Amino acid sequence: MFFGQYNYQLDEKNRARVPSKLRLGLSNSYVITKGLNNSLFIYSKDYFESQFLDKLNTVPTFDIEAQRPIRALLSSSFEVEEDKQGRFVIPANLREFAGITKDVVFVGVGHRLELWSAENWAKYQSTDKAFDEVLGELVKYNV
């Protein structure tokens, strides 16, 4: 389970380090992919395989409409390999998609982490809606 937000910076080789409090939920192997609102999603490899790959394997190969989102998701997904210091390189195409240059924010969102450029995260948070109003939107999901 992931929650909270953590501000970090990429090093000179475009490497990031998942905050130690969050790393436990990822194990040693995880997947990073394009997310919503120009963020990146990070999943434990086990979760990614069970919640996405296993389900995607049930979609007929020749269903043209279904193949588009499958290609979009999987072609932008990368298994992350950490170095001995726990850092990983964010692929260039994902950094570009998310607008990440130096300052980043890791955001815990339940079963996944999101990685944002600090600038995009600040813009996203500066919504016109009050916090109470945003939380009130969960009612339509019976939360």
Side-chain angles (χ1 to χ4, degrees):
M1 175 71 76
F2 305 109
F3 51 88
Q5 81 178 39
Y6 303 82
N7 297 305
Y8 279 78
Q9 290 185 334
L10 298 186
D11 68 12
E12 65 282 346
K13 295 182 181 178
N14 294 312
R15 294 177 297 195
R17 181 189 319 263
V18 174
S20 58
K21 289 183 178 183
L22 301 174
R23 194 176 301 131
L24 295 174
L26 291 174
S27 304
N28 291 331
S29 185
Y30 44 100
V31 174
I32 186 169
T33 190
K34 290 179 180 177
L36 301 174
N37 303 104
N38 292 96
S39 70
L40 302 176
F41 288 176
I42 302 173
Y43 298 96
S44 72
K45 184 177 177 188
D46 290 341
Y47 185 89
F48 188 81
E49 288 177 349
S50 67
Q51 295 301 308
F52 294 105
L53 294 183
D54 287 352
K55 291 177 183 175
L56 294 177
N57 285 332
T58 66
V59 176
T61 302
F62 298 106
D63 183 335
I64 293 171
E65 288 181 24
Q67 292 307 309
R68 180 178 292 277
I70 291 171
R71 287 185 189 110
L73 176 66
L74 296 181
S75 68
S76 68
S77 300
F78 298 87
E79 187 171 350
V80 171
E81 294 182 20
E82 291 183 342
D83 64 13
K84 291 179 182 177
Q85 286 78 37
R87 300 170 301 195
F88 66 94
V89 175
I90 302 171
N93 65 323
L94 295 184
R95 281 195 323 273
E96 184 178 324
F97 170 81
I100 292 173
T101 55
K102 184 74 172 165
D103 296 320
V104 297
V105 181
F106 285 91
V107 179
V109 189
H111 61 274
R112 73 174 182 272
L113 292 176
E114 293 181 353
L115 182 59
W116 292 74
S117 73
E119 182 181 344
N120 284 346
W121 178 245
K123 285 179 190 174
Y124 179 78
Q125 286 190 300
S126 67
T127 178
D128 292 337
K129 294 183 179 182
F131 185 74
D132 297 357
E133 198 176 346
V134 171
L135 285 183
E137 293 174 7
L138 291 173
V139 169
K140 60 185 164 188
Y141 301 103
N142 297 319
V143 176

